[in-house]
Amino acid sequence: MRVSRVLARNFDGRSETSLDPDLRVFVSDLTRPYGVPLREDLLRAGVGHSYGEMAEGLLAQALPNGEPVDLLLLAFAIPDVRPGRSTAVHLTRFCAGTPLAFAVNDQGPAAAFTALRIVQDYQRTGGCRRAVVLVAEQASLHYTPAVPVRVPDVHCAVALVCEESATPELTVHQETTKAGSVAQAVAGRLAALGPEAVLLAGSGLDGIVDPDLPTVLAPAGQPTTGVWSQLATRLPGWREQRRPVLVADYDPALGRLSLVGVQPVPAAATAGRTPVGVVAGR
C-alpha cells in the first residue's frame, strides 16, 4: 500500500444543517442518559459544519478523472451536525465505483490511524486496489462533556488516497501503552525507519517525545486532522529528500499509541502519477 495523494482543506462558515431542529433532538437524546448539559448558545447560533459537505468537494479534487474507489472510510472524533445519515455511505455518490463505506469514530485522534490499518488489511486481500480515508473535524461540540475534550479550532478535512503498490510504503501499528513507555516506543520505531527519518508528531505527543529527535509537531488546535494536514503540506518535500516519515500520536485517555511509517517509494514507482501532498486552501 502507498499514499498516492493527500489533500487538506480548512472551511469557514457553517453548514445549514447546524440550524436543523433535528440536531437539538439528536444531541438531547445523546446526552440525556448521562445528565450532560446542552450548549444552548451554540444550538441557537447554529454553528458547526457537516462532514458530508466538507468532504464532497475534497473527494472531487482527490479523485480526478473518475478514478474508481473500492473502500471509503470516514474518520472523526467530534460528532457530525447532520444526524440521521450515514455520511460515509452518502459520500460514495461522489466517487466512481461502488466502494464499501463506513465510519471509524469514538477513538479520539487514533481514528484515522485505525482507518489506515483497516485499509491495509483490506488491500492485503487483493480485492481493494484504491481506498480513500477522509479525516474530518468540525469545530463545535453542542454539549458540555463530563470529561475534558479537545475541540478543534477550525473546521478541517483531509483526504488520503491509498493504492496498492508493488513497493509497499506504509506500515501501521497501534498499541495500548502507559505514558511512561511512549517516548521509548516512538524512538524505537523512528530508528527502525533509518537515520534520515523524521517524526511527524500529533499534539498528544507534545512534551513526551525526546526533544533531540528530528520532529515536526502538529498544531494543538487540530487534535484529529493536525498531523494529516501537516503530512499533506510536507510529504512532497520529504519525498524529494528520500526521507522516511513516522506519523505518530498518543491519546492518554485511551492509552493508545498510533504510528504510521511512510517509506519513500522509488521514483520509477510513481512515474506519471499525480504528486502527493496537493493542499487546497479555504
Side-chain angles (χ1 to χ4, degrees), residues 4-5 7 57-64 67 132 134 159-161:
S4 61
R5 211 165 293 128
L7 294 90
L58 201 58
L59 273 174
Q61 293 177 281
L63 299 167
E67 295 177 351
V132 177
L134 294 163
L160 297 100
V161 182

Side-chain angles (χ1 to χ4, degrees), residues 78 137-141 143 145 148-154 220-223:
I78 298 293
E137 55 186 353
Q138 59 94 11
S140 302
L141 190 61
Y143 57 90
V149 172
R150 292 185 294 166
V151 179
D153 290 342
V154 299
Q222 301 301 129

Side-chain angles (χ1 to χ4, degrees), residues 161-248:
V161 182
C162 304
E163 300 181 8
E164 64 179 3
S165 171
T167 305
E169 180 186 57
L170 295 185
T171 55
V172 186
H173 176 78
Q174 292 180 296
E175 62 181 73
T176 300
T177 185
K178 295 181 179 179
S181 304
V182 170
Q184 182 178 357
V186 172
R189 290 278 173 174
L190 186 67
L193 289 174
E196 298 300 317
V198 60
L199 173 64
L200 175 50
S203 56
L205 289 172
D206 189 13
I208 293 179
V209 295
D210 185 343
D212 293 329
L213 295 177
T215 303
V216 172
L217 187 65
Q222 301 301 129
T224 303
T225 60
V227 287
W228 310 107
S229 295
Q230 288 292 311
L231 187 69
T233 302
R234 297 174 182 268
L235 188 56
W238 286 333
R239 280 235 171 100
E240 289 180 5
Q241 299 167 11
R242 309 289 297 157
R243 297 193 71 176
V245 184
L246 180 66
V247 185

Side-chain angles (χ1 to χ4, degrees), residues 17-18 20-28 43 47 80-81 83 142:
T17 55
S18 64
D20 190 327
D22 283 346
L23 177 60
R24 175 184 291 277
V25 176
F26 173 77
V27 177
S28 297
L43 289 166
V47 299
D80 200 349
V81 298
H142 294 85

Side-chain angles (χ1 to χ4, degrees), residues 60-81:
Q61 293 177 281
L63 299 167
N65 306 316
E67 295 177 351
V69 175
D70 300 304
L71 180 65
L72 187 152
L73 275 69
L74 173 64
F76 62 93
I78 298 293
D80 200 349
V81 298

Side-chain angles (χ1 to χ4, degrees), residues 39-106:
R39 285 291 305 273
E40 295 290 350
D41 54 334
L42 300 185
L43 289 166
R44 284 193 299 268
V47 299
H49 220 303
S50 160
Y51 291 149
E53 293 178 24
M54 292 165 64
E56 289 166 11
L58 201 58
L59 273 174
Q61 293 177 281
L63 299 167
N65 306 316
E67 295 177 351
V69 175
D70 300 304
L71 180 65
L72 187 152
L73 275 69
L74 173 64
F76 62 93
I78 298 293
D80 200 349
V81 298
R82 177 67 186 267
R85 179 178 73 179
S86 173
T87 299
V89 174
H90 164 76
L91 290 170
T92 62
R93 301 168 52 196
F94 299 89
C95 56
T98 54
L100 174 66
F102 52 92
V104 179
N105 65 330
D106 290 335

